[in-house]
Amino acid sequence: MIVDYITKIKGNISIYATKKTANILDGAYNSIFMGRSLNFEDLREYIPGDNVRDIDWKASSRSRNLLVKRFVAEKKHNVMFVLDSGAKMSGHTAKLQDKNEVALTAMGTIAYLANKNGDNVGAIYTKGEMINFYPFKTGLYNIERILENYQHDVTKTKEQSSLIRSIDYVISHVPQRMILFIITDEAGLAKIEDSHLKRLKFQHDVLVIKIGDTELTGGESYSVNNDSYLPDFITNNKKLRNIELKMKKKQKEENERKLLRFGISSVDMDSNEDIIEKIIELLERHRHANSH
């Protein structure tokens, strides 16, 4: 298999990220567990820069060497992507880019970082009644396969997706501790129940990427379900536009309150050009939220 998607991801990083920004991106990913209390694994010798609070003074006294506690987080992470799919992901963002393309590039960029870190990557999404689950594996081939299959299954599909069934499957069948990225839109996030977020947050690090939607009114709008552009009397109707803006604002505010209740960080994405900065923003928000 030729890793076409990975090549695009690497190109996106090199084009839109300076060397300094690329280092910040790596640092933001590597510090995702900073400040968390994790499971103790074993001991190793102290290295300058280690947190003094991790020193095991009793073990150090016995061995006459300065020893620090090593936690599971210093080993491989399990990174799972719960991807929204279905007809709505064939629509456009506010910047008129394909929603599924922005979702794919966001997922691919984070997965590429995970691979550089030696982490395991998995994914799950639905296609009609079928659940497509990719268990944790390492390597670029695994990431490429997920990206290729997701793009093939989502592009131009007329079927609806079920983010809830994907989340239920993860809760019931994936026991490992994870860094879990939910990639959806405002409408998809609104459907996730508090009970689901509570169960996920109890065991995992949960982060949300919200892919933006183009507006129904105010310009050319394409109906995915009808496979045609909406007529002018709809897109240019000021009354409908005001109603739409109010509904979107209300949904966004409700989603933000829901995530705040569970301490889950999120970020909005509308274009591939902003993905590097948005991922850094998301990871820094998550690190900050979990360091207090």
Side-chain angles (χ1 to χ4, degrees):
M1 177 185 293
I2 302 173
V3 285
D4 290 332
Y5 293 97
I6 296 300
T7 301
K8 291 177 183 178
I9 298 298
K10 291 171 68 176
N12 192 51
I13 292 175
S14 64
I15 291 172
Y16 296 107
T18 63
K19 185 175 182 180
K20 179 180 178 181
T21 306
N23 289 337
I24 293 173
L25 183 62
D26 287 336
Y29 178 83
N30 291 330
S31 67
I32 196 169
F33 278 123
M34 186 174 291
R36 295 297 304 275
S37 176
L38 300 172
N39 294 326
F40 169 74
E41 185 71 8
D42 55 23
L43 297 170
R44 63 168 171 78
E45 288 193 17
Y46 175 85
I47 299 173
D50 284 338
N51 194 323
V52 176
R53 290 179 297 179
D54 291 337
I55 296 175
D56 188 322
W57 296 107
K58 289 185 178 180
S60 298
S61 177
R62 289 195 298 268
S63 68
R64 297 185 179 181
N65 289 313
L66 202 55
L67 301 175
V68 296
K69 298 175 183 178
R70 186 167 65 157
F71 298 90
V72 174
E74 294 187 29
K75 297 190 171 185
K76 286 186 178 180
H77 303 158
N78 295 313
V79 181
M80 174 63 67
F81 295 91
V82 180
L83 302 162
D84 209 338
S85 55
K88 68 174 182 173
M89 296 304 288
S90 296
H92 291 149
T93 68
K95 294 188 178 179
L96 301 181
Q97 294 190 12
D98 291 345
K99 291 174 65 175
N100 57 54
E101 186 67 24
V102 175
L104 181 144
T105 307
M107 179 259 175
T109 302
I110 298 169
Y112 178 75
L113 290 174
N115 180 73
K116 285 180 63 178
N117 202 53
D119 294 337
N120 302 306
V121 173
I124 185 169
Y125 62 90
T126 62
K127 181 183 179 184
E129 297 299 316
M130 182 172 64
I131 291 178
N132 288 353
F133 175 68
Y134 300 86
F136 294 119
K137 291 182 180 180
T138 57
L140 292 177
Y141 181 90
N142 171 55
I143 298 170
E144 177 70 16
R145 184 168 67 96
I146 296 170
L147 295 174
E148 182 180 24
N149 289 344
Y150 176 77
Q151 205 246 11
H152 176 270
D153 290 341
V154 174
T155 303
K156 302 300 182 183
T157 183
K158 300 292 184 182
E159 299 174 324
Q160 298 302 312
S161 63
S162 177
L163 198 63
I164 302 302
R165 285 203 295 125
S166 294
I167 292 174
D168 281 335
Y169 187 93
V170 169
I171 291 173
S172 302
H173 296 88
V174 189
Q176 299 98 321
R177 189 165 187 267
M178 299 174 282
I179 306 172
L180 194 147
F181 291 89
I182 299 175
I183 302 181
T184 183
D185 54 16
E186 293 285 1
L189 179 57
K191 293 180 180 179
I192 303 177
E193 300 289 341
D194 283 16
S195 58
H196 287 99
L197 293 178
K198 183 178 181 179
R199 293 188 67 180
L200 290 176
K201 181 66 176 178
F202 178 76
Q203 186 176 359
H204 312 296
D205 281 68
V206 183
L207 302 92
V208 174
I209 294 175
K210 295 181 291 180
I211 308 299
D213 267 306
T214 188
E215 294 179 358
L216 177 66
T217 56
E220 288 191 342
S221 296
Y222 190 81
S223 171
V224 174
N225 292 330
N226 297 326
D227 197 21
S228 64
Y229 285 94
L230 295 176
D232 290 343
F233 75 87
I234 292 179
T235 60
N236 295 324
N237 189 303
K238 292 183 179 180
K239 185 175 180 179
L240 286 178
R241 177 172 173 77
N242 289 333
I243 293 173
E244 178 191 19
L245 292 177
K246 287 180 180 179
M247 290 177 62
K248 284 190 172 183
K249 181 182 179 181
K250 180 180 178 182
Q251 186 177 70
K252 184 176 181 65
E253 290 173 347
E254 290 176 349
N255 282 338
E256 288 176 351
R257 285 194 292 269
K258 177 161 59 176
L259 294 178
L260 184 62
R261 282 199 297 273
F262 296 100
I264 296 174
S265 301
S266 69
V267 74
D268 299 315
M269 289 189 184
D270 278 304
S271 72
N272 287 334
E273 288 75 15
D274 299 333
I275 281 177
I276 301 296
E277 289 79 7
K278 290 292 186 177
I279 290 175
I280 292 172
E281 180 182 339
L282 176 63
L283 297 177
E284 287 298 324
R285 284 181 181 178
H286 178 76
R287 182 184 67 81
H288 180 74
N290 289 281
S291 62
H292 292 81

